Amino acid sequence: MVGDLERGRQKVDWARAHMPILEGVRRRFENERPFDGLVVSMVLHVEAKTAALAMAIQAGGAKVHLAAGNPLSTDDDAVSALRAEGVHTLAEKGESLAAYRSAIDAMRDANPHVIVDDGADLVALVHNHPNGANRVRGSTEETTTGVTRLRAMERDGTLRFPAIDVNDAQMKHLFDNRYGTGQSTLDGIANATNLLIAGKVAVVAGYGWCGKGVASRLRGMGADVVVTEVDPVRALEARLEGFRVMPMLDAAAIADLIVTVTGNTGIVRSEHFRVMKDGCLLANSGHFDVEVSRTELEGMAVAHRPVRPHVVQYDFADGRKVYLLGEGRLINLAAGQGHPVEIMDLSFALQALSAEHIAKHGTKMAPKVHAVPEEIDQGVARAALAPFGVAIDEPTEEQRRYAKSWNLGT
Ligand code: ADE
């Protein structure tokens, strides 16, 4: 473990200084102590912004345990700062798969009342253990991938406690997925390669909220952006935004850079490697490292070797080479610093408030996937406007009645 405590503290202080919404929640938690006597286990990307969330929940009275949601995304300096604050943190950048898994096991063994999850890994784990879910009042989940898994468990009737779907809160996916993934994916690619984006043919696989963010940022940097999709509505949306849309087989043949953000598997595989141009860059910003098939890449290549930090070159028999960035794991965290701080302020304020909701009401909630309560989503939205100095109108009584009569929800 090579983390530096002073550097870690500086990083956490910087994050907290730019996370005013979460800091406001933390101050209220310090007074009200909604987690008094509770154990909270968290599996998240362990870095400075996550430290601010863990410390806010700890300030609310919880004993907090934290493990990494990805073996490459940890900031060891932040780990040092967390440990110094008494947060039980098991994470190390580049840890082995065995260490990564045993850290998540430890989160289950802490016997949590509340779970804060990313990718539903911990929720799945506690369900696979006979007593794992006994004390759990509920969980909060922040990724599209995790919510998909939770909904499948709800459909099968296996979900044993309520799970709050933070991902689908308006203040999450509209901002974190679009602007957070958009900016941080480009940061990660630039950091890994030091190459120019302008003028490149950049293929974005998937036009969900993350894909929209990545595509628009790439265009903003001067790339010629192509979108691939399986959903006809999203494909049309991308076309009407002005992007070229085509199947991956055609896109792969012209790409200088491919970024996957589908949340699905095997998006870039042998048939695509076969037609790629020499020097194509491959990056993933979806939650799991399954979007670019590393197994097929290794099977097809005659040799591979690291050529700079976060970049592995794969050589094919015909003399072409392609570069895989960040081992095909989330490039924004593997080679970058994750989402911008102000974006994580929104997402983690939602997480903290949703975790509080589970702590207070989880035992009375049905074992299914629940939306973030509207007052939480709206409260974070109002708080987020303040730093921009934006004031908005209040509807008049007449407008309220009119909206209600048409069920407009205002
Ligand atoms: N930093 C902490 N958690 C993150 C996430 N889920 N995505 C990007 N950056 C993060």
Side-chain angles (χ1 to χ4, degrees):
M1 161 65 176
V2 290
D4 180 285
L5 178 57
E6 259 333 286
R7 247 191 347 239
R9 285 194 166 132
Q10 277 180 355
K11 288 180 184 178
V12 175
D13 287 350
W14 175 263
R16 287 182 56 189
H18 296 87
M19 298 175 90
I21 309 172
L22 184 62
E23 282 304 295
V25 171
R26 176 201 169 103
R27 283 193 294 277
R28 181 171 65 72
F29 281 2
E30 269 166 357
N31 288 330
E32 298 178 8
R33 305 209 30 111
F35 297 100
D36 243 346
L38 301 186
V39 173
V40 177
S41 282
M42 315 193 351
V43 175
L44 292 173
H45 300 294
V46 180
E47 49 105 343
K49 291 152 271 178
T50 314
L53 171 64
M55 289 172 187
I57 291 178
Q58 180 177 261
K63 173 69 197 150
V64 178
H65 300 258
L66 174 61
N70 180 308
L72 269 192
S73 64
T74 299
D75 179 334
D76 291 333
D77 299 335
V79 173
S80 298
L82 277 157
R83 288 185 180 154
E85 289 297 315
V87 175
H88 179 232
T89 309
L90 292 175
E92 186 176 352
K93 191 168 180 82
E95 64 199 339
S96 68
L97 262 161
Y100 163 70
R101 292 206 178 112
S102 94
I104 303 182
D105 285 348
M107 298 301 113
R108 175 201 59 207
D109 297 343
N111 204 7
H113 297 91
V114 178
I115 289 174
V116 179
D117 214 355
D118 189 342
D121 280 338
L122 183 53
V123 166
L125 196 71
V126 298
H127 278 79
N128 289 339
H129 190 277
N131 305 318
N134 281 358
R135 208 162 76 153
V136 180
R137 296 185 184 180
S139 72
T140 67
E141 168 57 49
E142 77 167 9
T143 65
T144 312
T145 302
V147 171
T148 307
R149 285 174 93 182
L150 290 168
R151 289 202 187 284
M153 291 171 77
E154 181 186 328
R155 266 198 311 278
D156 299 347
T158 53
L159 188 62
R160 289 186 51 194
F161 45 72
I164 296 189
D165 167 6
V166 174
N167 181 65
D168 287 300
Q170 296 194 74
M171 290 307 291
K172 162 66 170 61
H173 69 267
L174 291 177
F175 302 95
D176 179 305
N177 300 28
R178 185 164 33 165
Y179 303 106
T181 306
Q183 179 170 326
S184 63
T185 297
L186 265 65
D187 282 350
I189 293 170
N191 194 36
T193 65
N194 193 215
L195 294 174
L196 184 68
I197 298 282
K200 285 200 169 41
V201 176
V203 174
V204 178
Y207 200 67
W209 287 108
C210 294
K212 291 187 216 310
V214 173
S216 86
R217 263 71 203 147
L218 282 166
R219 175 158 67 186
M221 297 278 285
D224 171 7
V225 179
V226 173
V227 169
T228 71
E229 248 304 337
V230 290
D231 178 324
V233 176
R234 288 181 175 176
L236 181 62
E237 213 183 343
R239 184 69 197 113
L240 298 194
E241 264 308 305
F243 299 115
R244 284 193 280 164
V245 179
M246 61 184 79
M248 181 56 89
L249 202 53
D250 297 332
I254 57 170
D256 299 305
L257 162 68
I258 301 180
V259 186
T260 53
V261 253
T262 67
N264 214 316
T265 188
I267 305 304
V268 185
R269 49 186 190 270
S270 302
E271 62 195 277
H272 308 122
F273 301 136
R274 248 175 242 122
V275 299
M276 272 171 204
K277 293 195 307 194
D278 183 35
C280 184
L281 303 165
L282 303 170
N284 168 53
S285 240
H287 184 72
F288 288 118
D289 59 341
V290 294
E291 304 211 13
V292 179
S293 175
R294 195 147 56 112
T295 327
E296 294 191 17
L297 192 51
E298 278 166 15
M300 265 186 68
V302 291
H304 66 274
R305 67 196 162 94
V307 286
R308 54 183 270 131
H310 313 299
V311 184
V312 174
Q313 174 178 323
Y314 288 80
D315 299 314
F316 298 130
D318 59 10
R320 285 174 307 125
K321 58 188 169 310
V322 297
Y323 300 108
L324 180 63
L325 312 186
E327 298 178 14
R329 298 183 188 278
L330 281 165
I331 192 61
N332 60 344
L333 283 145
Q337 301 177 65
H339 290 355
V341 182
E342 298 95 321
I343 291 292
M344 292 316 293
D345 189 24
L346 306 177
S347 301
F348 282 165
L350 288 173
Q351 282 281 22
L353 294 168
S354 298
E356 178 190 28
H357 191 81
I358 290 286
K360 286 183 173 163
H361 309 292
T363 52
K364 294 172 281 240
M365 292 163 71
K368 58 190 196 69
V369 179
H370 297 260
V372 169
E374 186 162 342
E375 61 279 12
I376 292 182
D377 211 5
Q378 290 281 310
V380 172
R382 282 183 191 282
L385 287 176
F388 291 100
V390 173
I392 59 172
D393 290 322
E394 275 297 316
T396 64
E397 267 318 306
E398 187 194 2
Q399 287 164 346
R400 266 188 224 285
R401 277 197 303 276
Y402 184 81
K404 205 164 167 206
S405 73
W406 290 97
N407 205 11
L408 295 178
T410 312

